Amino acid sequence: LVLEGALGIGETDIELGGLWVERVDLDAGIGEHRIGFDEPLLSPMKSFRLDGSIGETKIRNLGNASPAEVNVAHRIGEVFVDLDGAWRNDATVSVRGSIGGYRIGLPDDGVGFELIRVSVGLGEATTQRAWDRPEAPPGAPVVRLEASNSLGEVHLTR
């Protein structure tokens, strides 16, 4: 399954857990949009891209999709990207925003994690949780994160 398209104005709730999804490539309009992976996919996803407009966006259990490349961009509003789940391969995650609050839930402790960069033009960033993580087991998948926001906040959470 390849999921491409535009989510219009309003509210969207998409659950993809347990499916065979190769790629997600979506533009999200004004509103509240939720995408989740409550169960691991049958095979790791190649890429996940979501470009949001205005409103609230939530991505749940992205590790269950285990995409090699993640790009989330949002113009105005609140964004939550949850990196929990059963990661099966390494991933590069990029979260970019213009105005708003951005929360990124770190992956489970059994997954390697590298914080490449977090930057906020005007506002604050909380990264302490990234440094308090235990070492991952040898051979564990590694998630590399880069996050930026022009005006607002970026908080790394558990």
Side-chain angles (χ1 to χ4, degrees):
L1 174 69
V2 172
L3 181 59
E4 293 181 338
L7 306 175
I9 296 172
E11 185 174 340
T12 306
D13 198 352
I14 300 171
E15 173 54 46
L16 298 171
L19 299 175
W20 190 322
V21 181
E22 182 178 307
R23 177 170 55 89
V24 170
D25 188 354
L26 296 171
D27 294 316
I30 298 170
E32 184 176 336
H33 304 285
R34 293 173 300 280
I35 300 173
F37 301 91
D38 288 344
E39 298 177 37
L41 297 183
L42 296 177
S43 178
M45 184 185 285
K46 290 182 181 178
S47 64
F48 180 95
R49 186 195 72 85
L50 180 67
D51 189 359
S53 179
I54 299 172
E56 182 178 84
T57 299
K58 292 182 180 178
I59 303 163
R60 297 181 322 273
N61 298 314
L62 194 55
N64 284 339
S66 202
E69 184 177 327
V70 176
N71 287 292
V72 176
H74 196 76
R75 285 171 210 59
I76 301 172
E78 302 293 316
V79 174
F80 177 61
V81 178
D82 174 18
L83 299 177
D84 270 346
W87 287 95
R88 291 179 271 175
N89 54 273
D90 293 351
T92 301
V93 178
S94 173
V95 179
R96 298 175 322 278
S98 295
I99 301 171
Y102 297 79
R103 289 184 306 132
I104 301 167
L106 299 176
D108 296 328
D109 289 341
V111 175
F113 180 76
E114 293 179 15
L115 183 57
I116 304 300
R117 180 175 70 98
V118 171
S119 67
V120 177
L122 183 59
E124 70 177 19
T126 306
T127 61
Q128 185 60 40
R129 299 252 191 236
W131 310 116
D132 292 342
R133 296 174 54 85
E135 289 289 321
V142 176
V143 175
R144 293 169 182 86
L145 173 66
E146 182 174 350
S148 64
N149 191 9
S150 298
L151 176 63
E153 305 167 344
V154 174
H155 295 291
L156 304 185
T157 64
R158 273 298 305 154

